[in-house]
C-alpha cells in the first residue's frame, strides 16, 4: 500500500522489516529494489534485485529492475550479463516462455546499444564533433537519464550550443557527484560557453579539478584555452586604447580563432573587433562583426550604437537612425547622439554641396570653394557638351546648375552657417543663392567668378526655354582641359 501511494521511503522500510523476518523470499528483495529505484538509490536497488535472482532465477520481475539499476550506475556490461543469465535459465527450464525471452533480449539489446553509443560518442568528442556525439547518445540518454556517465557525456556534447540548459540539467547531480572530475569539468565547460563573463568561474572550477586530479587532460586543455583567449583579448584592448588599431585587429582575430564554437565569447570579441575595423575604415567587415555580435547575445545598447555609426559611415542613414533609436530607448546616454544624428540624417536627404564641389566640409575655405567651383563649372558648362547626346546635355545642365547652387550657398557666410547647422534645406527660399536657376543668373555668376572675361559664354546650348543665343563665347584658344 505504501508503494502504491507513492510513499517509497516507507515502503522500503516495511520491506526491510519483512526481510528481517524472512531473508529467503525473492519477492521481498525485488519489491524493495523497486522502492529503491524510485528513491534514486540505484546501488541498493541493484544489490536487492541481484539477490532476488539468486534466490529465485525464475522470478522474472527482478531482471528488468536489476537491468535498470545497473545501467543507471553505468555498468552496462554487468547489466548485459545479468539479463543473459536470466535468458539462459528460462531457455533451459521454461522454453515455452518465448515472450519473456523476447522481453529480456530487448533489455540486453539496450545495454549493448548503450555501450556502443558511449564508445561512439567518446570518439566523436575526441574528433571535436559534438553534434555527432549528441546524436549517438540521445536514445540512450532518454532511456537512462539518471545515468551520470551518460548524462555527463551528453552534456559535454551539448554544452557549446545550449550552455544554460545543460547547466540546469546538471543540477540533479550536484549533491551526489560534486567531487566527480567529469561532473566538474562539464560545469566548467558550461560556464566557459556562457562567454567571457563566465571565464573567472570556469577557471576556478578547473583549478579545483586539477588540484585533485593533475592528470585530467580535458580540464588542463580548457584552462589553457581560456588563458590564451584572455591574453589575446587584453592585448587587443591595450592596443585599441593606444590607438594601435592594426595591432588590436590582429589580437582580437587571434582570440576569435582560438575557438569558433564559443559563440557568446566571440560575440564580445567580434564586437570589439567591429570597433577596430570602424577605426580602420573597413566598414563592411565592421558591419559583419557587429551583426554577429548582436545575433549571438551581445545586444547591449552600445552595440546598436556602434552599428549605427558603421551604417552612417556607409551612408545608410535610415539604418543608422533605426539602430541609434533602439540604443537610446534602452539607455538615455545616447539621447544627445541621437539628436545629432537626426540632424545629420536630415542633411543627408538634401544636396551635399561640399560633395558637389568635391571639397571636404571640415577643411573647406573660401578660396578652396571658389577654386572647386571654377573647376566644376568649366567641366559641366553646357557649351562643352554642345555636340553630345540630348541625355548628356541634360545631365551637364543639371550638374552646372548644382555647382552654381553650391557656390551660392557656400560662398555666403550666413547661408553656409545655416547649411552647416542643418537649418537650410533645398526647398527653403534662398537656399539656391538668390538666383532661380535661369541661364542669365547662372551666367552672371559664372562671369563674375571668371572676372567677367568670358564674353556671353556662347549660347548655353540646351539651357531651358529656347533662350536667345548670346553673342561672344569662349575667347579664342580657350580650353576646358585641366592638368
Amino acid at each position: 500500500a505504501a508503494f502504491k501511494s507513492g510513499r517509497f521511503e516507507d515502503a522500503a522500510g516495511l520491506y526491510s522489516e519483512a526481510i528481517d523476518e524472512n531473508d529467503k523470499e525473492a519477492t521481498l528483495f525485488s519489491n524493495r529494489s523497486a522502492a529503491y529505484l524510485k528513491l534514486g538509490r540505484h546501488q541498493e536497488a541493484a544489490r536487492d534485485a541481484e539477490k532476488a535472482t539468486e534466490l529465485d532465477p525464475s522470478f522474472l520481475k527482478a531482471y528488468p529492475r536489476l537491468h535498470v539499476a545497473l545501467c543507471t550506475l553505468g555498468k552496462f556490461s554487468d547489466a548485459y550479463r545479468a539479463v543473459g543469465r536470466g535468458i539462459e535459465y528460462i531457455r533451459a527450464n521454461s522454453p515455452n516462455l518465448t515472450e519473456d525471452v523476447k522481453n529480456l533480449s530487448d533489455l540486453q539489446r539496450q545495454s549493448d546499444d548503450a555501450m556502443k553509443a558511449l564508445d561512439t560518442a567518446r570518439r566523436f568528442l575526441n574528433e571535436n564533433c559534438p553534434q555527432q556525439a549528441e546524436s549517438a547518445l540521445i536514445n540512450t540518454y532518454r532511456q537512462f537519464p539518471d545515468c551520470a556517465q551518460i548524462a555527463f557525456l551528453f552534456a559535454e556534447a551539448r554544452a557549446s550550443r545550449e550552455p544554460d540548459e545543460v547547466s540546469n540539467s546538471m543540477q540533479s547531480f550536484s549533491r551526489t557527484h560534486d567531487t566527480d572530475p567529469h561532473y566538474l569539468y562539464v560545469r566548467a565547460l558550461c560556464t566557459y560557453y556562457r562567454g567571457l563573463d563566465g571565464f573567472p568561474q570556469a577557471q576556478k572550477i578547473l583549478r579545483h579539478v586539477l588540484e585533485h586530479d593533475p592528470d585530467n587532460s580535458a580540464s588542463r586543455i580548457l584552462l589553457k584555452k581560456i588563458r590564451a583567449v584572455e591574453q589575446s583579448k587584453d592585448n587587443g584592448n591595450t592596443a585599441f586604447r593606444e590607438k594601435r588599431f592594426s595591432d588590436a585587429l590582429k589580437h582580437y582575430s587571434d582570440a576569435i580563432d582560438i575557438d569558433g564554437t564559443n559563440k557568446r565569447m566571440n560575440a564580445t570579441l567580434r564586437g570589439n573587433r567591429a570597433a577596430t575595423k570602424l577605426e580602420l575604415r573597413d566598414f563592411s567587415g565592421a558591419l559583419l562583426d557587429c551583426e554577429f555580435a548582436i545575433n549571438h547575445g551581445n545586444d547591449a545598447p552600445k552595440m546598436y550604437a556602434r552599428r549605427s555609426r558603421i551604417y552612417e559611415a556607409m551612408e545608410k542613414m535610415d539604418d543608422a537612425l533605426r539602430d541609434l533609436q533602439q540604443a537610446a530607448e534602452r539607455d538615455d546616454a545616447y539621447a544627445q547622439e541621437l539628436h545629432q544624428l537626426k540632424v545629420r540624417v536630415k542633411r543627408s536627404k538634401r544636396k551635399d554641396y561640399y560633395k558637389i564641389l568635391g571639397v571636404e566640409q571640415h577643411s573647406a575655405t573660401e578660396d578652396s570653394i571658389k577654386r572647386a567651383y571654377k573647376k566644376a563649372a568649366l567641366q559641366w558648362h553646357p557649351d562643352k557638351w554642345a555636340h553630345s547626346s540630348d541625355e548628356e546635355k541634360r545631365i551637364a545642365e543639371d550638374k552646372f546648375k548644382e555647382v552654381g547652387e553650391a557656390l551660392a550657398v557656400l560662398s555666403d557666410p550666413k547661408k553656409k552657417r545655416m547649411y552647416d547647422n542643418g537649418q537650410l534645406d533645398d526647398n527653403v527660399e534662398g537656399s539656391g543663392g538668390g538666383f532661380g536657376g535661369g541661364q542669365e543668373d547662372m551666367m552672371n555668376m559664372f562671369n563674375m567668378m571668371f572676372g567677367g572675361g568670358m564674353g556671353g559664354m556662347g549660347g548655353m546650348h540646351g539651357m531651358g526655354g529656347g533662350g536667345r543665343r548670346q553673342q561672344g563665347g569662349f575667347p579664342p584658344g580657350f580650353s576646358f582641359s585641366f592638368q
Side-chain angles (χ1 to χ4, degrees):
F3 187 94
K4 289 182 179 179
S5 63
R7 295 182 289 112
F8 303 118
E9 194 73 54
D10 292 343
L14 292 170
Y15 289 133
S16 295
E17 292 176 5
I19 289 171
D20 289 341
E21 296 292 328
N22 180 9
D23 63 357
K24 303 299 181 183
E25 178 59 52
T27 303
L28 295 175
F29 283 98
S30 179
N31 288 351
R32 190 171 68 173
S33 174
Y36 283 148
L37 283 175
K38 292 292 185 180
L39 293 168
R41 294 161 62 174
H42 300 100
Q43 198 77 257
E44 293 158 290
R47 185 192 62 211
D48 273 2
E50 187 166 20
K51 181 67 174 179
T53 61
E54 290 173 359
L55 290 171
D56 183 1
S58 67
F59 190 73
L60 299 183
K61 284 185 178 181
Y63 291 103
R65 291 166 183 169
L66 177 58
H67 181 264
V68 170
L70 289 173
C71 286
T72 301
L73 292 168
K75 299 178 179 181
F76 297 104
S77 57
D78 289 349
Y80 184 91
R81 287 192 293 270
V83 173
R85 289 195 296 271
I87 293 172
E88 290 175 4
Y89 181 87
I90 293 172
R91 284 174 173 167
N93 297 279
S94 304
N96 60 318
L97 299 178
T98 55
E99 187 64 25
D100 293 305
V101 169
K102 177 181 179 300
N103 292 336
L104 292 180
S105 296
D106 288 341
L107 292 179
Q108 201 173 40
R109 191 177 303 109
Q110 284 182 7
S111 50
D112 185 52
D113 288 345
M115 288 186 283
K116 293 176 181 176
L118 279 169
D119 290 341
T120 302
R122 290 192 183 103
R123 176 170 57 81
F124 278 130
L125 285 173
N126 288 335
E127 295 172 355
N128 198 28
C129 301
Q131 287 183 284
Q132 289 90 329
E134 178 184 352
S135 297
L137 280 172
I138 190 165
N139 289 332
T140 299
Y141 176 74
R142 288 171 177 167
Q143 289 168 347
F144 309 109
D146 296 326
C147 174
Q149 188 177 8
I150 294 292
F152 297 166
L153 208 61
F154 190 63
E156 186 178 344
R158 297 175 61 230
S160 63
R161 295 182 302 285
E162 299 290 345
D164 298 325
E165 183 179 327
V166 171
S167 182
N168 290 336
S169 73
M170 291 289 98
Q171 291 299 317
S172 60
F173 296 96
S174 60
R175 287 193 299 174
T176 56
H177 292 77
D178 59 342
T179 60
D180 187 312
H182 197 182
Y183 166 76
L184 293 172
Y185 171 74
V186 172
R187 274 189 57 203
L189 196 65
C190 291
T191 309
Y192 163 73
Y193 278 114
R194 285 174 174 166
L196 293 172
D197 290 342
F199 277 20
Q201 181 65 15
Q203 291 183 81
K204 181 179 178 180
I205 296 171
L206 292 169
R207 285 194 294 267
H208 177 73
V209 172
L210 292 170
E211 284 174 5
H212 296 83
D213 183 10
D215 296 327
N216 191 302
S217 60
S219 295
R220 187 172 61 253
I221 291 169
L222 182 57
L223 183 60
K224 183 178 179 181
K225 183 186 292 185
I226 291 172
R227 288 170 175 169
V229 171
E230 286 192 324
Q231 184 64 57
S232 292
K233 175 185 70 72
D234 291 343
N235 289 342
N237 292 346
T238 299
F240 188 90
R241 286 194 298 269
E242 295 174 355
K243 300 188 183 303
R244 295 183 286 110
F245 299 119
S246 294
D247 290 341
L249 178 65
K250 179 183 181 304
H251 290 308
Y252 288 137
S253 297
D254 288 345
I256 291 165
D257 290 341
I258 289 172
D259 186 358
T261 66
N262 195 331
K263 304 299 183 183
R264 296 188 191 180
M265 173 189 81
N266 286 333
T268 300
L269 293 171
R270 290 187 68 169
N272 291 354
R273 192 170 70 174
T276 306
K277 289 181 176 180
L278 179 59
E279 293 289 347
L280 294 170
R281 303 187 67 79
D282 176 10
F283 303 133
S284 296
L287 181 60
L288 287 174
D289 277 345
C290 217
E291 289 182 339
F292 179 94
I294 290 172
N295 292 335
H296 290 87
N298 187 9
D299 58 351
K302 70 176 182 179
M303 290 308 303
Y304 284 97
R306 185 168 298 164
R307 190 168 67 177
S308 171
R309 294 166 198 144
I310 295 168
Y311 276 135
E312 184 176 6
M314 300 174 75
E315 299 184 357
K316 297 181 177 181
M317 303 303 288
D318 290 338
D319 291 331
L321 183 60
R322 181 201 64 227
D323 270 3
L324 197 57
Q325 282 176 328
Q326 185 159 348
E329 287 172 2
R330 296 166 57 191
D331 189 341
D332 291 340
Y334 295 102
Q336 181 60 29
E337 184 178 350
L338 177 60
H339 172 74
Q340 294 169 349
L341 177 60
K342 287 179 177 178
V343 173
R344 294 194 296 275
V345 170
K346 185 177 180 181
R347 285 183 200 162
S348 72
K349 297 184 183 301
R350 65 182 183 180
K351 293 178 181 178
D352 186 342
Y353 289 142
Y354 290 101
K355 188 173 182 179
I356 288 169
L357 293 181
V359 295
E360 296 289 337
Q361 180 175 352
H362 68 275
S363 60
T365 64
E366 183 178 353
D367 287 342
S368 66
I369 289 170
K370 289 180 179 179
R371 286 196 302 273
Y373 167 77
K374 289 179 180 180
K375 181 177 179 180
L378 289 173
Q379 178 184 358
W380 297 110
H381 192 287
D383 274 7
K384 181 181 178 182
W385 300 84
H387 301 292
S388 302
S389 67
D390 289 343
E391 178 64 16
E392 289 172 328
K393 289 177 183 178
R394 185 190 63 77
I395 292 172
E397 177 182 343
D398 290 343
K399 295 287 188 183
F400 189 69
K401 287 180 180 179
E402 283 184 343
V403 297
E405 291 174 10
L407 178 66
V409 171
L410 300 183
S411 63
D412 183 312
K414 181 179 178 181
K415 291 178 180 176
K416 181 177 182 298
R417 184 172 61 255
M418 292 176 64
Y419 177 82
D420 290 345
N421 291 333
Q423 299 171 315
L424 194 65
D425 297 328
D426 299 337
N427 295 325
V428 173
E429 184 177 354
S431 64
F435 63 91
Q439 67 179 47
E440 184 175 351
D441 288 320
M442 284 186 287
M443 289 314 305
N444 286 339
M445 175 175 288
F446 185 89
N447 288 334
M448 179 180 66
M449 290 302 298
F450 284 92
M454 302 306 293
M457 288 310 300
M460 295 292 294
H461 299 284
M463 290 296 291
R468 176 176 58 84
R469 179 181 177 87
Q470 300 182 27
Q471 297 299 315
F474 293 107
F478 185 88
S479 172
F480 277 103
S481 63
F482 300 94
Q483 298 298 319

